[in-house]
Amino acid sequence: MSARPQAMPTVQVDTDEVIVTEWRFAPGAETGRHLHGHDYVVVPMTDGTLLLETPEGEKLAPLVAGRSYFRKAGVEHNVINASDHEIVFIETEIK
């Protein structure tokens, strides 16, 4: 069992078309390993660095506030805040 705090999701919109979730990560917080069932877009609200634990190994992913990115369904990872400050992003999953 992980000793890391959990990232805090707040679902803002959930329709037949999309799910929009605000994610807040305290320093060191994680999502837990998960598999994305939908294509999704992430809009970082803060700068920072994420540590991604993937089946292929660990990767660092820098975030820049306002610089969005897109990923296809099927991504599997645990997302960890590797920064010394809170990270916030908005995730829009496309159903």
Side-chain angles (χ1 to χ4, degrees), residues 48 50 76 86:
L50 298 175
E76 182 180 350
E86 181 182 60

Side-chain angles (χ1 to χ4, degrees), residues 14-77:
D14 190 347
T15 70
D16 290 341
E17 296 81 22
V18 299
I19 304 168
V20 179
T21 306
E22 176 191 72
W23 283 93
R24 291 188 169 270
F25 291 73
E30 68 177 355
T31 57
R33 184 170 289 283
H34 60 280
L35 176 68
H36 285 266
H38 304 289
D39 292 353
Y40 63 100
V41 174
V42 169
V43 182
M45 306 303 287
T46 57
D47 293 342
T49 302
L50 298 175
L51 172 63
L52 307 176
E53 294 177 340
T54 75
E56 296 79 34
E58 293 185 348
K59 301 174 186 175
L60 289 176
L63 295 180
V64 177
R67 186 174 298 159
S68 305
Y69 62 88
F70 169 81
R71 299 287 184 267
K72 296 292 287 177
V75 171
E76 182 180 350
H77 55 199

